[in-house]
Amino acid sequence: MWNSLLFSETSIEISPNNFPISTLKPSKLFEIQQRKQTMSHLCAPSVMKAVLCVGCTEVAYVTNVERFPEKGSRVQCQSAFMQRNGRTSNVCTALRLLGARVELFGMLSRLGTFRMVLDDLRRRDIVISNCSWTDESPKFSTIIRERRTGTCTVVRCTKAFPYVTAREFEKLDLSLYGWVHFEARSARETVLMMRRVLDHNNGLAQEDRIVVSLLVYDALEDNLDLLSLCDYVLFGRQLALEVGWSSAHVACEQLNSALRTPRSIRTRRPCIICPWGKQGAVCMDAQGNFYELPAHTPKRIVDRMGDGECFTAGFIYATFVRRRGLSGAVDFANLVASHKIASVGFDDIANLQISPQKLEPPPVEDSERSSESEDLTNEQRTCRKYLNRPFYTLEPHNSSIHEAVVGPEPESEPMSEDTVKAAWERLSKTAY
């Protein structure tokens, strides 16, 4: 592939044969440049754009107890440590472990308390170069985890903490990103950021446009205007119950009815995804069709912290990187969340077994096939064979292309009791 060696302001480009471009004949240089342009298109999956996650990161103090303490009682904890937390921060972690390129855009603190957060972000290769900085202390959460059931009780700090602004967002080079994920907070600033992404997409081909997703977890009324500005809306079960929606199906219908523009008017409408714990998830596409996806039940529940963020990351990864359709992506998100709660922390997500997609390419005319094959170089055929795998299949006796039917993913083995103890000990040592 192509490399660039940067020396101060000088860039020396190296050809595939390791000769400097400047020493090549003009005819050879033109041939190499043409091959480079064509290979960049065919090898797109290998140089996929990054996912930009806009939101907050904070510090959490985690306490492990055998049983949740009763009122007025005193219990002894088994372990306690501080770790990086926050919805968007955890989504970045899960995406990176799945293999996606990720950048966090949020407000970070310069205080020493926040140093462990910065160290962990850099250790996981999550880009933070465009983040904003403040001297204020970050938000703090207390998490009490019951070892017997794996359930967690979270006490969140609601102190005011600065949030990134639309003016800071304008400094980003949006051409570097293929997906932007937002938290539903600071609606006034988030609306302006979303509109800038839409302005960037205007005039671009469909495959070059940035996909926008939104996680709604609080203050629904304040964030209704954000729904129609994105491609995907992920809505949490807890908020749905708080506003009186008894099921994921009802939540999708109510969110759909909350959109300002009626469906009779053909305009931009988001797909709605609502995970519902052990009952699985329900999603509604832009045409109003419902899909119900059952949960992947783990053999053992070990740690529930961050399962919702892993669902979000799994959906983004399946849609953006693996090019799955809506229902297939939600099913994969269920799988990632299930795998998360069957293991300690996030690191075991990297061990998730993902089946390769064995799909046939869309049919082409014989004339197109022969002429296209003759025009391809060996490098281009290799890229097409191994990197540009098709994600659609043709149904028998049907000439239209349908979403590929993805088989079940391999089932992961649950952690043993000794492995769980060792994982918690390792996590407490790597945290603060």
Side-chain angles (χ1 to χ4, degrees):
M1 296 299 291
W2 296 82
N3 301 300
S4 293
L5 303 179
L6 300 178
F7 301 96
S8 65
E9 297 180 355
T10 304
S11 177
I12 302 178
E13 199 163 36
I14 306 300
S15 71
N17 297 322
N18 294 322
F19 290 104
I21 292 291
S22 58
T23 65
L24 299 176
K25 296 180 179 180
S27 59
K28 188 65 176 176
L29 175 60
F30 177 77
E31 178 186 348
I32 289 176
Q33 289 174 342
Q34 291 297 106
R35 288 168 58 191
K36 178 179 177 181
Q37 293 176 0
T38 310
M39 289 175 63
S40 297
H41 170 69
L42 294 176
C43 299
S46 65
V47 290
M48 184 165 289
K49 294 182 178 181
V51 177
L52 178 67
C53 295
V54 182
C56 294
T57 184
E58 57 190 44
V59 177
Y61 189 81
V62 183
T63 304
N64 288 311
V65 296
E66 182 65 26
R67 291 177 179 272
F68 190 81
E70 298 180 359
K71 183 178 180 180
S73 63
R74 294 185 179 182
V75 296
Q76 185 175 0
C77 70
Q78 299 171 327
S79 63
F81 54 88
M82 288 195 302
Q83 69 175 23
R84 176 172 57 88
N85 197 37
R87 292 180 178 87
T88 299
S89 182
N90 290 342
V91 169
C92 289
T93 299
L95 277 170
R96 195 70 193 93
L97 290 169
L98 287 170
R101 296 173 55 202
V102 188
E103 177 175 341
L104 172 67
F105 180 67
M107 186 67 66
L108 301 178
S109 175
R110 299 187 184 91
L111 298 184
T113 310
F114 220 59
R115 179 179 175 181
M116 50 86 61
V117 172
L118 304 180
D119 291 343
D120 189 56
L121 288 167
R122 290 168 179 146
R123 178 176 66 88
R124 296 187 180 277
D125 198 23
I126 297 172
V127 179
I128 57 174
S129 56
N130 291 310
C131 286
S132 300
W133 297 84
T134 179
D135 292 325
E136 297 187 26
S137 59
K139 289 188 176 182
F140 200 94
S141 297
T142 301
I143 301 175
I144 303 175
R145 175 189 169 273
E146 185 178 2
R147 192 198 66 84
R148 183 172 57 90
T149 61
T151 58
C152 299
T153 300
V154 181
V155 181
R156 296 190 181 277
C157 175
T158 58
K159 63 168 288 186
F161 187 72
Y163 193 66
V164 287
T165 64
R167 179 171 297 181
E168 294 164 331
F169 188 81
E170 290 177 357
K171 300 176 183 178
L172 300 178
D173 181 3
L174 294 183
S175 64
L176 301 176
Y177 313 110
W179 190 296
V180 179
H181 175 68
F182 292 93
E183 281 188 32
R185 64 165 68 223
S186 187
R188 182 176 180 180
E189 297 294 336
T190 304
V191 163
L192 296 176
M193 294 186 225
M194 285 185 167
R195 285 178 178 170
R196 193 196 166 215
V197 177
L198 297 182
D199 291 340
H200 170 84
N201 287 340
N202 284 339
L204 295 180
Q206 185 65 36
E207 61 271 16
D208 296 328
R209 296 179 180 178
I210 298 175
V211 181
V212 179
S213 60
L214 174 71
L215 173 62
V216 184
Y217 59 90
D218 194 13
L220 175 60
E221 292 292 333
D222 297 337
N223 295 291
L224 284 177
D225 291 335
L226 303 178
L227 303 183
S228 60
L229 299 177
C230 54
D231 300 287
Y232 298 98
V233 174
L234 294 103
F235 195 80
R237 175 176 179 266
Q238 183 175 353
L239 179 58
L241 295 175
E242 289 176 1
V243 297
W245 299 341
S246 58
S247 67
H249 195 282
V250 173
C252 288
E253 287 183 332
Q254 293 296 327
L255 283 175
N256 179 62
S257 63
L259 294 174
R260 307 301 189 193
T261 307
R263 189 172 295 279
S264 57
I265 300 177
R266 291 183 175 274
T267 186
R268 179 191 185 94
R269 298 186 73 87
C271 299
I272 301 173
I273 302 99
C274 187
W276 210 261
K278 63 181 181 181
Q279 298 181 23
V282 172
C283 55
M284 174 192 286
D285 62 20
Q287 289 72 42
N289 302 312
F290 281 92
Y291 302 89
E292 296 184 8
L293 290 310
H296 293 257
T297 306
K299 294 181 180 179
R300 181 186 181 193
I301 297 177
V302 176
D303 177 21
R304 295 180 182 270
M305 288 190 298
D307 56 344
E309 291 90 296
C310 289
F311 178 94
T312 301
F315 175 78
I316 295 174
Y317 174 81
T319 306
F320 180 54
V321 178
R322 292 178 62 84
R323 295 292 191 262
R324 291 193 178 182
L326 179 62
S327 59
V330 174
D331 181 66
F332 183 83
N334 280 336
L335 174 68
V336 176
S338 172
H339 186 84
K340 162 65 193 79
I341 64 177
S343 56
V344 175
F346 293 94
D347 289 339
D348 200 56
I349 294 176
N351 301 323
L352 181 65
Q353 300 178 20
I354 303 175
S355 298
Q357 298 194 28
K358 300 179 180 179
L359 304 173
E360 298 179 0
V364 296
E365 298 294 334
D366 292 338
S367 59
E368 295 180 4
R369 183 183 295 109
S370 59
S371 62
E372 183 181 26
S373 178
E374 292 174 357
D375 295 337
L376 295 180
T377 64
N378 290 333
E379 292 92 344
Q380 294 167 3
R381 292 191 185 96
T382 301
C383 290
R384 172 160 293 180
K385 181 177 180 181
Y386 295 104
L387 297 176
N388 198 29
R389 294 186 294 271
F391 290 87
Y392 296 94
T393 185
L394 190 68
E395 293 290 344
H397 311 296
N398 193 336
S399 60
S400 61
I401 294 176
H402 298 273
E403 180 185 330
V405 179
V406 182
E409 303 287 354
E411 187 174 358
S412 302
E413 291 296 325
M415 280 187 168
S416 64
E417 184 66 29
D418 292 339
T419 305
V420 171
K421 290 181 180 179
W424 278 115
E425 183 178 355
R426 183 171 62 253
L427 183 61
S428 62
K429 289 180 178 180
T430 56
Y432 280 64

